[in-house]
Amino acid sequence: MDLDQLLEISNQCIHSEPPVCVASCPVHMDVIAFVSEVEKGNFSGAYKMMESKIPLSRLIGKICDHPCEKACVRSHAGGSIRIGELEKSVVTFGYSAPKKPLLLPKNKGNIAVIGGGLSGCVAAIELDKKGYKVALFEKSNRLGGRLWEYVSKGLEAREIEEELGMIEQKGIAVHYGVEVLEEDLPRYLETYDAIYLGARTWSKSYTVDPHSFQSEISALFIGGGIQNPNALMIESASSGKRAAVSIDRYITQSSMLASREREGVFETKLHYATDQVAPLASVPLSASIYSQDEAAAEASRCLKCQCDACIKACVHMQRFSITPDSYIRSICHNERIVLGTRRANLMINSCTECGLCKAVCPVGIGMADIIHATRESMVKRNKMPLSAHDFALKDMAFSQSDYFSLVRKQPSKEASKDLFYYPMIAFSAYARGLYKGSGKTGYLFYPGCQLSSTHTDYIGSIYKHLVGVIKEKDAMSDVGLFLGCCGAPADWAGRGDLMHDNVEKIRQTWEAEGRPTFILACSSCASTFAKYLPMIQTVSLWEIFDTYGLPEVDIKKGKRELCIHDACAIRDNPKIHESIRNIVKTLGYSVQELEYSKEKTKCCGYGGLVACANPEQAEEFAADRICESDPDVLVYCAMCKDMLVKGNKRAYHILDIIYANEINQETPQKMPTLSDRQNNRKRLKRQLLKEIWNEEEEGAMDPTYDFALHISDEITALMEKRFILLGDVEKVVANSLSHQERFFNPKSSDYLARLRIQNVTYWVRYEESGRDITVKDAYMHRMEVVEG
Amino acid sequence: MNEHIDTTTEWVCDKCRQALVSQKVKVRYLDGNFEVDLLKCPTCQMVFISDELAMGKMLEVEKGLEDK
């Protein structure tokens, strides 16, 4: 993993990018922090915010031309925030006289400031703060220049005198009535280490660097009126402040321009969208300035512009309270740890890799690819927590084993001849399809492992329907069947090795079958095929249904409203979105679109194996999605249905409505357990082989036990939570009975047994009554206990 | 794994009909090797682990080792 490249991406994140008001303020006042204090009624706190950025803030605060207001994005939604008026109120209600300045030794150098106007005063104050001995030369008998034009126009003479009086109190030597001319400059340059020239007029023009204010005479810095005679007051103040920074860098011999690209007014990358913002008018002034309450009300209109589109959309980022830029930095840190705890592991394994952050990001940063690369890197370096994905990977291995995996061509014409009789051949499109068997597999129906686990009984009917409708239109293309797992769990777990093997097997099957088009029913399969098997042409089952027709079932004209939860894995596949909506409408339902739908859909929480690695996070994803919808939800991914139903939301898979199997509104929906899922896959293979291919599965693979297990709903729920399968419990009990390897509790008459299966030790506490075994507890540990 | 582990129990070894005794037992996971006092059958050496221990302290240590 190229961590430097990753950090480059984090630098593009605009979460920390300042709002346009700050970027358009020559001194970058933190407007959001300022208005937040005003909103809270903390005027002294707000004044401190002004003071930290605005020189002579007591004065400037009252007369600033507030370029920020012109830029304010609220202007399109009721009018700009009246920041200028807020500043006036804050100076009035929040100003307190500064403490007497501490006179620190001024030993960094001697600086002359020529011109006691606003920029000169600001430069003198800033240089004094930095530890320079400053001499300020003013040709008139008072400091402040243009500030005096504001007397009775926003300022009082007393305020100006008090504020500027501080300059001398700080220890700055002010020389009144001294007019420095061009011919005097050489003498000043000899006497002082550097000069700031802030006079309004000057007889000679110099070339001045617009960023550093340095002239061709390296010790001479020029700002204020000479540089920009029409400058706003805040711009003059800014130039004095920035020149002081340059003089300090010049004296300390540091880089004149490094890290100063964004001084003064700059263009922010943050473009805050206001199209969703309800307009709200400015609070009118009831007197010459806002009262405290009026100011707080006006401040509350501020949108506090910040890019947080991804955080708003993602409960994972919310849970870990993280932004993409800090997320990437945490990943880099986690990757670099040699010895010590990798604290970001859980976070990295709690991302669903759903891609929503990228879909909503204005600069297109997405965490999915980054998280995927990180997980692969963790696996390669043997740093991936074993328990995070162990169950899912074992379940995937089950799907790939002979228990489920199956490839069959369409039953041949010869093998199906028993079906070719009247009226069967007239009424069954399936029988007609078989009759047209060409022996060439044009399509392979690939239902995927999860749909087969949870909607087992639809698969055979779908297959028959596909044979019927496809053969009717395309007599040359037979429809075969392929049961297996696309490898999505391995991909999510960062197991590039397993993924590679799995993809290769699918590719070989595709070649062996004559390169048929795969009909995919699972959104994760669709995403996996697009990513790893681009050479294979695929079509979604929903598109086939939409174009070739739906199975003929007794459609109840429900006409209910359903909201569609799109699957995140195919957010970029508008064809599927379209087909699903067409099917739903054809079946007589109306559709309510969710705020986050289609390319901006949210994950149900199953993606990225989060349900395995961090079940609580997965539940939050589901809960977040559920809150969005009022009507029942329609999904087309088996795992989405599972997650939403577990979160107590009534959800239907599109097959439920196609086959008119919406269960009674009153009864709670129930999803199969992890053990049921494996058993359903086994059962599906057996049933299809028998029903469609007239084959008996070779050898009974299921072990048989001479005891009967009884497990309550409560213990079943506990086993689900702990990822313990019924088969594991059976093995523990069987072992304990045959070897008497168990503990006995004479008081309760319970038995407790353990058995290590692969890398996990399972424990079962049970009561034995003849051949009836009642399970009372089941738990596990991965740690190996050495007995003996 | 140094926390106090309950060394009294009603459980007995079913095969050996022996009361369990507390003894040092080796446990290992990933790169971690520990010796802890656990209850075991003095005859057949079968080690007793309770639900609380497995899903509590042991799980915590497992997770800790996985993040190392």
Side-chain angles (χ1 to χ4, degrees), chain A residues 9-43:
Chain A
I9 298 174
S10 85
N11 290 338
Q12 289 161 24
C13 173
I14 57 171
H15 175 72
S16 317
E17 190 71 2
V20 68
C21 51
V22 174
S24 59
C25 171
V27 295
H28 304 169
M29 189 183 53
D30 188 345
V31 179
I32 292 180
F34 168 78
V35 294
S36 300
E37 292 304 321
V38 176
E39 202 176 339
K40 284 188 272 178
N42 181 5
F43 286 76

Side-chain angles (χ1 to χ4, degrees), chain A residues 529-556:
Chain A
F529 273 68
K531 186 172 170 189
Y532 291 98
L533 293 157
M535 69 296 270
I536 299 183
Q537 197 176 348
T538 65
V539 60
S540 82
L541 177 63
W542 324 121
E543 285 170 81
I544 298 266
F545 278 164
D546 189 24
T547 46
Y548 288 72
L550 289 164
E552 283 169 35
V553 289
D554 178 24
I555 295 168
K556 293 175 195 139

Side-chain angles (χ1 to χ4, degrees), chain A residues 348-349 351-354 368-379 384 389 392-393 396-397 400 485-503 506 523-533 569 606-610:
Chain A
I348 292 164
N349 285 328
C351 166
T352 58
E353 298 186 16
C354 79
D369 292 344
I370 295 170
I371 294 292
H372 183 255
T374 306
R375 291 187 191 170
E376 278 194 331
S377 160
M378 288 161 75
V379 169
M384 176 58 88
H389 307 127
L393 293 172
M396 176 177 141
Q400 290 163 330
C485 169
C486 69
D491 193 39
W492 283 325
R495 290 294 300 268
D497 52 338
L498 294 177
M499 198 63 211
H500 174 267
D501 294 350
N502 199 50
V503 161
I506 295 174
S523 46
S524 298
C525 294
S527 156
T528 306
F529 273 68
K531 186 172 170 189
Y532 291 98
L533 293 157
Y606 186 76
L609 297 183
V610 175

Side-chain angles (χ1 to χ4, degrees), chain A residues 680-737:
Chain A
N680 285 345
R681 270 171 269 171
K682 268 194 256 184
R683 179 166 65 85
L684 176 64
K685 179 177 175 180
R686 217 160 27 219
Q687 275 178 1
L688 293 179
L689 277 176
K690 195 168 167 124
E691 191 185 319
I692 295 177
W693 285 275
N694 202 21
E695 289 178 37
E696 287 290 341
E697 211 174 351
E698 288 164 25
M701 288 194 291
D702 286 332
T704 49
Y705 301 108
D706 55 3
F707 54 84
L709 269 191
H710 303 283
I711 303 179
S712 67
D713 287 350
E714 195 189 334
I715 297 296
T716 302
L718 183 76
M719 285 164 58
E720 285 294 285
K721 201 173 155 202
R722 294 176 171 179
F723 295 97
I724 298 173
L725 295 173
L726 186 62
D728 298 326
V729 170
E730 283 173 338
K731 283 178 196 160
V732 176
V733 173
N735 180 72
S736 75
L737 294 174

